[in-house]
Amino acid sequence: MSHMKDVLRNRLILLSHDEAGRRLARIRSLMERAGMRGMLVSDNANKYYLTGRVFAGYVYIPISGEAIYFVRRPVELDGDGVVYIRKPEEITLSIGLGMPETIGLELDTAPYSLIKRLRLIFPGSEIANASALLRNARSIKTDAEIDMIRRSGIKHRHVYSRIPRLFRPGMSDMELQVEIERLSRLEGCLGQFRISGDSMELYMGNVLAGENADAPSPYDFAMGGAGADPSLPVGADGTLIVPGTTVMVDMNGNFDGYMTDMTRVFSPESGKLPELALKAHQCSIDIHRALTDMMRPGTEAKALWQRAEEIVKERDLHPYYMGHRQHAGFIGHGVGIEINELPVIAPRSRDIIQAGNVIALEPKFVIPRVGAVGIENTYAVHADRVECLTNSPEEIVYFDL
Amino acid sequence: MSHMKDVLRNRLILLSHDEAGRRLARIRSLMERAGMRGMLVSDNANKYYLTGRVFAGYVYIPISGEAIYFVRRPVELDGDGVVYIRKPEEITLSIGLGMPETIGLELDTAPYSLIKRLRLIFPGSEIANASALLRNARSIKTDAEIDMIRRSGIKHRHVYSRIPRLFRPGMSDMELQVEIERLSRLEGCLGQFRISGDSMELYMGNVLAGENADAPSPYDFAMGGAGADPSLPVGADGTLIVPGTTVMVDMNGNFDGYMTDMTRVFSPESGKLPELALKAHQCSIDIHRALTDMMRPGTEAKALWQRAEEIVKERDLHPYYMGHRQHAGFIGHGVGIEINELPVIAPRSRDIIQAGNVIALEPKFVIPRVGAVGIENTYAVHADRVECLTNSPEEIVYFDL
């Protein structure tokens, strides 16, 4: 934590000069291509991407010239281009005569009322959607970003390696989850689970035991669970962890603002899981092998989804794949500052795998009366290879009774 | 947790018939007044208010006639008016000829792109802002809602009563917070901390020790803290809890979808806090007394803020009030499904206190080199009295060393 105090001087931009420049350059090349002459960024995840910190305010990026950082809170930040404002209308004064013909705004995440207000700052400008552009820019990570995700992965794996020691016979899914939460937090997990858009909600991750894995949830996560209360209907619901059933652990790996996504399966006592569950778990591992062999720059995301589909069908596991009573529509997704980044590995995805993508693959199965099986790993795509950032044993781990 | 399984049948509406009717009637009377002939609700907090559960989809409320519940996920829900859809465009078919002249949409929370898409469902309708209307409706709680908040309060107080037992000498703010998180979760806290809008972020609450209380944060919370990482710059930052300084605990009280907000102050060892800190803490308690005496239906919210301001100035505590390096602009707020509901107790608030409001008051102080002091309680406003929902000792509690 003292790290924070060292870097948290008053400098607004906490990234190195070169790193900030690289990110800005990537965004500007996409702006150029889209004919977007200026962009005003308000989303916390995007501001963090641009500056290495979260602040209340806006970043204005003209297609050329210096970016301007309009800050409302906190007090006392400084640096080139920092301008304090009380309300967005004051932005007009600083931009002055350089009004862009087309202004990019985050139309997919910013509320309608905010966009309506921001439009008035740029009365002569056409508005364009900066959300898709920024999602694209962020889908190709810089080396420094991959390094942060790698570091989160190391801590994430370390927490997972200690899960068997947290189990006590008679525990419920929720009791196990709470102990994993505690361990993660003591290892430095920030807890905050950033999801783009506000319709998906989850607290710290998902521990799914036995039959509860088959409870459908309203959220667009790969797996469901009834949850402890109808106000947050996902994940653990108090199911006891008993022999012959599985516990799928898919817990938060956000240790430094960038996250890994990782799932492993546990079960009390060895040798009691039905053959179908073991077969499906092995199938998930095999899909990981097959897809990481294909996951090279230039591959279509939908081809990965298709290949997994073939493997599942060859093995007659389709009724259990990505859910049983309810099925998820994707088997992988980009991950970084948020858990739902590009590319999306889904049947109608138009994404193409690129070097710098960081992708979580999660081919999973729900076996009725047994629970969820399958693993999730986070991979960095390099020009010539795929690097697993959550490398650790993939077999089902049996808890001592 | 078995509660969940009992109620989580397939019935979409988990509220009693009467309770659902009361909420709908309140919304419709506000719609009538605003000339809004229909409303389409997509925000999770508002759907939870209307149905007692969260689902992916929309609620369509015509000014008269039956509401329609358009569900995308989860599968298998049923009940009067439930219609499954894959995309919002399918809503058109069900509404058919009954298109309203004016359609209310959640303009303050729904993303611009979503509103643009939803507008096309109502090609002939004018759009109006349903966000403000729903915020108003939800600011006056029904008896059943107050009862849920009351129940959250009981658990919240119980967790707080056990905080002294969690302290060990040499602990950091973060270590204490993690133990409080664990205890809360084991008591049934859902963790999820619902905030309207997505620019405020916080994980499970705020534990502020010593000097860190004076670190300004970018978020519009009453207090700040540097946080453990610049990607989430609020709250605990690893500060050691030492004699002569305070620890302010303001942790999540969401045990059933409705929350209480509660803050208490702790300090290791008795008798060592400077007079200024003790005086400011007492001032906070006295402000609670003065404001709860005034907090009756019909009182202006800004008059409460003003009265607190006078008390603080009389006692020469203004430089420390609601922050020291950075000051918050409000001293209280409505609370319920979300932490930032109406009314707002602030200098330019236009809100009027009404019976059924549930209000958290948090007059707090930051004393340099000592930490934060002051308390927060959640109150229900009844016609003739104010009920404290977080009733427990208000003095600074000293940890044994």
Side-chain angles (χ1 to χ4, degrees):
Chain A
M1 322 258 162
S2 67
H3 166 73
M4 184 64 187
K5 283 180 179 154
D6 296 334
V7 296
L8 200 73
R9 308 270 164 69
N10 292 345
R11 199 158 50 98
L12 181 127
I13 296 184
L14 297 178
L15 305 173
S16 74
H17 184 79
D18 285 357
E19 180 65 14
R22 257 188 297 275
R23 298 186 190 183
L24 212 50
R26 173 159 299 152
I27 290 170
R28 279 179 165 150
S29 86
L30 293 172
M31 286 171 69
E32 189 71 63
R33 221 184 297 169
M36 201 184 281
R37 309 295 297 171
M39 182 188 284
L40 190 72
V41 175
S42 66
D43 184 75
N44 282 345
N46 289 328
K47 284 184 287 190
Y48 177 64
Y49 178 70
L50 284 163
T51 65
R53 76 151 78 229
V54 170
F55 60 94
Y58 306 86
V59 180
Y60 178 67
I61 307 174
I63 189 81
S64 58
E66 298 300 317
I68 310 177
Y69 306 90
F70 295 100
V71 182
R72 200 168 60 73
R73 281 170 74 113
V75 293
E76 302 171 9
L77 295 181
D78 58 38
D80 290 347
V82 172
V83 176
Y84 269 87
I85 58 169
R86 281 168 177 275
K87 46 184 189 176
E89 287 70 20
E90 295 168 36
I91 290 173
T92 315
L93 287 170
S94 297
I95 298 183
L97 296 174
M99 283 293 169
E101 277 167 59
T102 305
I103 179 76
L105 300 173
E106 291 150 313
L107 306 185
D108 293 348
T109 54
Y112 182 87
S113 302
L114 177 63
I115 295 292
K116 224 177 134 187
R117 190 169 174 184
L118 296 180
R119 283 184 83 147
L120 300 176
I121 298 172
F122 303 92
S125 311
E126 242 181 278
I127 68 164
N129 193 352
S131 298
L133 192 155
L134 288 162
R135 259 201 308 273
N136 274 325
R138 281 173 43 198
S139 74
I140 301 175
K141 274 71 178 172
T142 64
D143 290 345
E145 288 185 282
I146 291 180
D147 210 51
M148 289 182 78
I149 302 173
R150 197 180 280 125
R151 284 202 297 265
S152 258
I154 290 168
K155 292 188 181 170
H156 208 175
R157 285 150 53 189
H158 184 58
V159 168
Y160 271 53
S161 73
R162 289 155 71 189
I163 290 173
R165 284 184 249 171
L166 300 175
F167 177 75
R168 294 185 308 273
M171 255 186 171
S172 71
D173 52 1
M174 188 59 87
E175 287 166 330
L176 179 62
Q177 173 162 342
V178 170
E179 298 309 327
I180 300 171
E181 288 171 5
R182 175 175 180 272
L183 181 60
S184 292
R185 292 280 284 151
L186 291 174
E187 289 291 329
C189 180
L190 300 172
Q192 193 74 4
F193 190 76
R194 282 204 174 87
I195 302 171
S196 180
D198 62 0
S199 62
M200 277 159 80
E201 301 170 308
L202 183 64
Y203 178 73
M204 199 53 197
N206 200 338
V207 171
L208 279 178
E211 194 102 56
N212 183 43
D214 208 8
S217 107
Y219 304 108
D220 283 330
F221 296 113
M223 295 281 109
D229 189 273
S231 72
L232 187 63
V234 66
D237 75 335
T239 296
L240 288 183
I241 299 170
V242 296
T245 67
T246 62
V247 191
M248 173 173 274
V249 176
D250 183 1
M251 291 288 289
N252 192 328
N254 175 12
F255 290 85
D256 60 9
Y258 281 83
M259 55 181 123
T260 37
D261 204 355
M262 178 178 182
T263 301
R264 290 294 185 271
V265 174
F266 303 83
S267 180
E269 208 179 68
S270 90
K272 285 237 177 159
L273 289 176
E275 202 50 48
L276 179 62
L278 301 176
K279 180 179 158 188
H281 191 77
Q282 187 58 48
C283 182
S284 172
I285 295 173
D286 295 343
I287 291 171
H288 276 266
R289 294 291 163 277
L291 299 198
T292 49
D293 281 348
M294 290 171 68
M295 207 157 70
R296 294 290 180 281
T299 305
E300 289 183 314
K302 68 180 178 195
L304 295 170
W305 186 88
Q306 195 54 54
R307 180 71 193 109
E309 194 77 0
E310 286 163 16
I311 297 172
V312 170
K313 285 186 172 155
E314 276 163 21
R315 304 193 189 183
D316 289 326
L317 291 167
H318 211 260
Y320 317 108
Y321 185 48
M322 298 310 294
H324 169 246
R325 281 165 63 196
Q326 175 172 287
H327 298 265
F330 67 95
I331 61 161
H333 53 86
V335 56
I337 300 168
E338 293 174 308
I339 201 67
N340 51 348
E341 302 199 350
L342 296 180
V344 179
I345 315 298
R348 280 192 288 264
S349 175
R350 290 189 209 157
D351 301 331
I352 306 288
I353 306 302
Q354 297 179 73
N357 284 164
V358 173
I359 300 170
L361 292 180
E362 50 179 329
K364 294 173 180 172
F365 298 85
V366 172
I367 310 297
R369 288 175 305 281
V370 177
V373 294
I375 60 165
E376 176 173 31
N377 281 322
T378 300
Y379 302 97
V381 178
H382 300 291
D384 54 348
R385 69 194 172 93
V386 166
E387 174 189 2
C388 182
L389 304 175
T390 49
N391 211 358
S392 74
E394 300 182 336
E395 304 76 38
I396 295 173
V397 172
Y398 291 93
F399 292 142
D400 291 337
L401 277 187
Chain B
M1 321 256 165
S2 66
H3 166 72
M4 183 64 187
K5 283 180 178 154
D6 296 335
V7 295
L8 199 71
R9 309 269 165 70
N10 292 346
R11 199 159 49 98
L12 181 126
I13 297 184
L14 297 179
L15 304 173
S16 74
H17 184 78
D18 286 357
E19 179 65 15
R22 258 189 296 276
R23 298 185 190 184
L24 212 50
R26 173 159 301 152
I27 290 170
R28 280 179 164 151
S29 87
L30 293 173
M31 286 171 68
E32 189 71 64
R33 222 185 296 168
M36 202 183 283
R37 309 296 297 171
M39 182 188 286
L40 190 71
V41 175
S42 67
D43 184 75
N44 282 344
N46 289 329
K47 283 183 290 190
Y48 178 65
Y49 177 72
L50 284 163
T51 65
R53 76 153 75 229
V54 171
F55 59 93
Y58 306 86
V59 180
Y60 178 67
I61 307 173
I63 189 79
S64 59
E66 297 301 317
I68 310 177
Y69 305 90
F70 294 100
V71 182
R72 200 169 58 73
R73 282 168 71 111
V75 294
E76 302 171 7
L77 295 181
D78 58 38
D80 289 346
V82 171
V83 177
Y84 270 87
I85 59 168
R86 282 169 175 274
K87 46 184 190 177
E89 287 70 20
E90 296 168 36
I91 290 174
T92 314
L93 287 169
S94 297
I95 298 182
L97 295 173
M99 283 294 168
E101 275 167 60
T102 305
I103 178 76
L105 301 173
E106 292 149 313
L107 306 185
D108 293 347
T109 55
Y112 182 87
S113 303
L114 177 63
I115 296 292
K116 227 178 130 185
R117 189 169 173 184
L118 296 179
R119 281 183 85 146
L120 300 177
I121 299 172
F122 303 93
S125 309
E126 240 182 283
I127 68 165
N129 193 353
S131 299
L133 191 154
L134 288 163
R135 259 200 308 274
N136 275 327
R138 280 172 42 198
S139 75
I140 301 175
K141 274 73 179 171
T142 65
D143 289 346
E145 287 185 284
I146 291 179
D147 210 50
M148 288 182 79
I149 303 173
R150 196 179 281 125
R151 283 203 297 265
S152 260
I154 290 168
K155 292 189 182 172
H156 207 176
R157 286 151 51 190
H158 183 59
V159 168
Y160 271 52
S161 74
R162 289 155 70 190
I163 290 174
R165 284 183 247 172
L166 300 175
F167 177 75
R168 296 183 308 274
M171 256 187 172
S172 71
D173 53 1
M174 187 59 88
E175 288 166 329
L176 179 61
Q177 174 161 342
V178 170
E179 298 309 326
I180 300 171
E181 288 172 4
R182 175 176 178 273
L183 180 60
S184 292
R185 293 280 284 150
L186 291 174
E187 288 291 331
C189 180
L190 301 172
Q192 194 74 4
F193 190 77
R194 282 205 175 85
I195 301 171
S196 180
D198 62 0
S199 62
M200 277 160 80
E201 300 171 309
L202 183 65
Y203 179 73
M204 201 48 200
N206 200 339
V207 172
L208 280 177
E211 195 100 57
N212 183 43
D214 208 7
S217 106
Y219 304 108
D220 284 331
F221 297 113
M223 294 281 110
D229 189 272
S231 72
L232 187 64
V234 66
D237 75 335
T239 296
L240 290 181
I241 299 170
V242 296
T245 67
T246 61
V247 191
M248 173 173 275
V249 176
D250 184 1
M251 291 288 290
N252 193 328
N254 174 12
F255 291 84
D256 60 9
Y258 282 82
M259 55 180 122
T260 37
D261 204 355
M262 176 179 185
T263 302
R264 290 294 184 271
V265 174
F266 303 83
S267 180
E269 208 180 67
S270 91
K272 286 236 178 163
L273 288 175
E275 203 49 49
L276 179 61
L278 301 176
K279 181 180 156 187
H281 191 79
Q282 187 57 49
C283 182
S284 171
I285 295 172
D286 295 344
I287 291 171
H288 277 268
R289 294 291 161 278
L291 299 198
T292 50
D293 281 348
M294 290 171 68
M295 207 156 71
R296 294 290 179 282
T299 305
E300 288 183 315
K302 67 180 178 197
L304 296 170
W305 186 88
Q306 195 56 54
R307 179 72 193 107
E309 195 77 359
E310 287 164 14
I311 297 172
V312 169
K313 284 186 172 154
E314 276 164 20
R315 303 193 191 183
D316 290 327
L317 290 166
H318 211 260
Y320 317 108
Y321 185 48
M322 298 311 292
H324 168 246
R325 281 164 65 194
Q326 175 172 288
H327 298 265
F330 66 95
I331 62 161
H333 53 86
V335 57
I337 300 168
E338 293 174 308
I339 201 68
N340 51 349
E341 301 198 351
L342 294 180
V344 180
I345 315 298
R348 281 193 286 265
S349 176
R350 290 189 209 155
D351 301 332
I352 306 288
I353 305 301
Q354 297 179 72
N357 283 163
V358 173
I359 299 171
L361 292 180
E362 49 178 330
K364 294 173 181 173
F365 298 86
V366 172
I367 310 297
R369 289 174 304 281
V370 177
V373 295
I375 60 164
E376 177 173 29
N377 280 324
T378 300
Y379 302 97
V381 179
H382 300 291
D384 54 347
R385 68 192 172 97
V386 166
E387 174 189 2
C388 182
L389 304 175
T390 50
N391 211 357
S392 74
E394 300 183 337
E395 304 76 38
I396 296 174
V397 172
Y398 292 93
F399 292 142
D400 290 336
L401 276 187

